[in-house]
Amino acid sequence: MILRKIFNPIAVVRYMRWELAASTFLSTAVYFLYHNQPLGKISIPFSLAAILGSALAIFLAFRNNNSYNRWWEARTVWGNIINNSRIFARQIIANADSALSSGKVSAEQINDYKKEMVYRQIAFTHALRLHLRGQKSLDELKHLLSKEEFEHAVQKQNIPNYLLFVQGKRIKDGMKMEILGAFDNISLEPTLAGFNNFQGACERIKNTPLLRQYHFFTKLFLWVFMAILPFALITDFSKMGAPALMIPLSILVAFVFGVMGKVGEVNEDPFENRITDIPMSAMSNTIERDLKEMLGETELPPKHGPQDGFLF
């Protein structure tokens, strides 16, 4: 996620290099062809470029609006994952601690159970982040799961879903061992089901792209607009006695429309491990720090902060 308010112009130009290169080539070529008269003073009415620009703006506005909605939904879902992870940890810790007064289970058993359940919840958030980004660095989960459970998890196709499945089984086991009360499942199950819904929402955004027809025609209209813009501007600037000004202004207009198109394109996919994505690493780190602190641990992982104006 980008936090800085001012962008490096060189980085922006590098990001838009193909569009700028094409616009520069077309504008320069039209200027020299028109100036040396091999085109026979052929030009296009500016009204045509204006109409096409208006149509392009409508497509860009629709796409950018829907792209931002996808990005914001992804951020909202991960905010819910943070909140529900805290709720789940609180429920497990409070319900398990209340079993100590019964004398049926030891303090060591309760502490082991709390740590196992909370650590597995932390592992779920890290696994979901890796799952959405398509990353295979599963060693991040080793310190959170037992050796046997880790070996089983890495063999699964959908690791976060498997971890939620294990959580459900271990809640039942906790009830059998009387670490959890007979009715604790009534409050824990909706929280656990919420994580399934959040994962499903993330996978829906990940696997369902914005309508491809909007992507294709937006790209097509942008390149057509960039191609005819120099022809539409050359006559007016020639009448002004400064035809060369057409080149920088044509590039500038194409740059503005190109940037608008790029913004919508990158925001469309918020789980691709780019600087424009939602900061899942930072949010996973927040969950791990908060839940370990709820267990009473003092050795917490370092807090993820912005790096050069970007939060990952």
Side-chain angles (χ1 to χ4, degrees):
M1 183 173 66
I2 302 174
L3 299 180
R4 58 173 58 179
K5 297 181 179 180
I6 300 176
F7 299 100
N8 185 347
I10 298 177
V12 176
V13 169
R14 189 184 303 118
Y15 198 66
M16 295 289 299
R17 59 187 181 276
W18 295 113
E19 289 82 358
L20 288 174
S23 180
T24 302
F25 173 78
L26 289 169
S27 301
T28 306
V30 169
Y31 169 75
F32 282 107
L33 290 172
Y34 190 91
H35 185 68
N36 296 322
Q37 299 186 0
L39 289 179
K41 299 296 183 181
I42 295 176
S43 63
I44 297 176
F46 182 77
S47 58
L48 180 61
I51 293 172
L52 181 58
S54 299
L56 177 60
I58 293 173
F59 270 80
L60 288 173
F62 176 85
R63 179 180 179 177
N64 287 7
N65 183 60
N66 283 276
S67 296
Y68 178 75
N69 287 339
R70 287 166 60 89
W71 190 94
W72 185 248
E73 182 184 2
R75 179 59 184 88
T76 301
V77 169
W78 267 86
N80 289 331
I81 291 175
I82 294 175
N83 295 338
N84 279 36
S85 294
R86 294 166 177 162
I87 293 172
F88 181 78
R90 174 175 54 79
Q91 290 175 321
I92 289 292
I93 293 171
N95 292 338
D97 285 343
S98 66
L100 186 61
S101 59
S102 66
K104 297 181 179 180
V105 287
S106 65
E108 183 179 0
Q109 287 177 303
I110 292 175
N111 289 333
D112 289 345
Y113 183 79
K114 290 190 300 184
K115 183 176 180 179
E116 174 196 341
M117 297 295 289
V118 171
Y119 269 40
R120 189 179 294 111
Q121 177 57 34
I122 298 172
F124 162 77
T125 60
H126 287 301
L128 181 58
R129 166 175 54 84
L130 298 173
H131 175 67
L132 293 172
R133 287 177 172 173
Q135 297 174 329
K136 304 297 181 182
S137 53
L138 301 177
D139 287 345
E140 294 185 49
L141 310 180
K142 272 188 176 180
H143 72 289
L144 299 168
L145 304 173
S146 65
K147 182 179 178 181
E148 181 181 359
E149 185 174 349
F150 176 78
E151 291 175 352
H152 279 89
V154 296
Q155 297 175 3
K156 304 300 179 181
Q157 178 181 351
N158 193 321
I159 296 176
N161 182 64
Y162 171 74
L163 294 176
L164 291 179
F165 170 72
V166 176
Q167 288 285 62
K169 292 180 62 177
R170 291 297 291 155
I171 288 175
K172 300 296 185 182
D173 293 339
M175 294 169 63
K176 293 177 182 178
M177 295 183 295
E178 298 190 44
I179 296 177
L180 298 178
F183 298 101
D184 288 343
N185 185 55
I186 297 176
S187 61
L188 286 168
E189 182 57 33
T191 307
L192 201 60
F195 293 120
N196 286 110
N197 292 329
F198 299 144
Q199 180 180 347
C202 290
E203 290 174 339
R204 171 175 51 79
I205 297 172
K206 171 78 174 180
N207 299 325
T208 307
L210 196 63
L211 295 175
R212 292 296 87 188
Q213 52 266 42
Y214 283 101
H215 175 81
F216 173 78
F217 285 112
T218 300
K219 279 280 190 182
L220 178 62
F221 290 166
L222 176 60
W223 285 101
V224 172
F225 177 75
M226 290 169 55
I228 71 171
L229 185 62
F231 291 95
L233 294 177
I234 188 65
T235 302
D236 291 337
F237 281 98
S238 295
K239 292 178 180 178
M240 295 169 56
L245 281 178
M246 178 274 297
I247 298 176
L249 290 178
S250 180
I251 295 172
L252 177 62
V253 173
F255 174 76
V256 170
F257 277 90
V259 167
M260 292 171 62
K262 281 290 185 181
V263 168
E265 185 176 342
V266 298
N267 285 344
E268 177 185 339
D269 302 311
F271 300 131
E272 302 303 316
N273 199 24
R274 297 179 298 211
I275 59 174
T276 53
D277 293 353
I278 64 169
M280 290 190 291
S281 296
M283 289 186 282
S284 299
N285 172 257
T286 296
I287 292 173
E288 181 169 358
R289 287 173 53 86
D290 288 352
L291 268 58
K292 285 185 174 181
E293 189 175 49
M294 293 173 71
L295 284 173
E297 298 184 9
T298 56
E299 295 184 6
L300 306 178
K303 182 177 178 60
H304 283 206
Q307 301 176 12
D308 299 324
F310 305 109
L311 186 62
F312 296 94

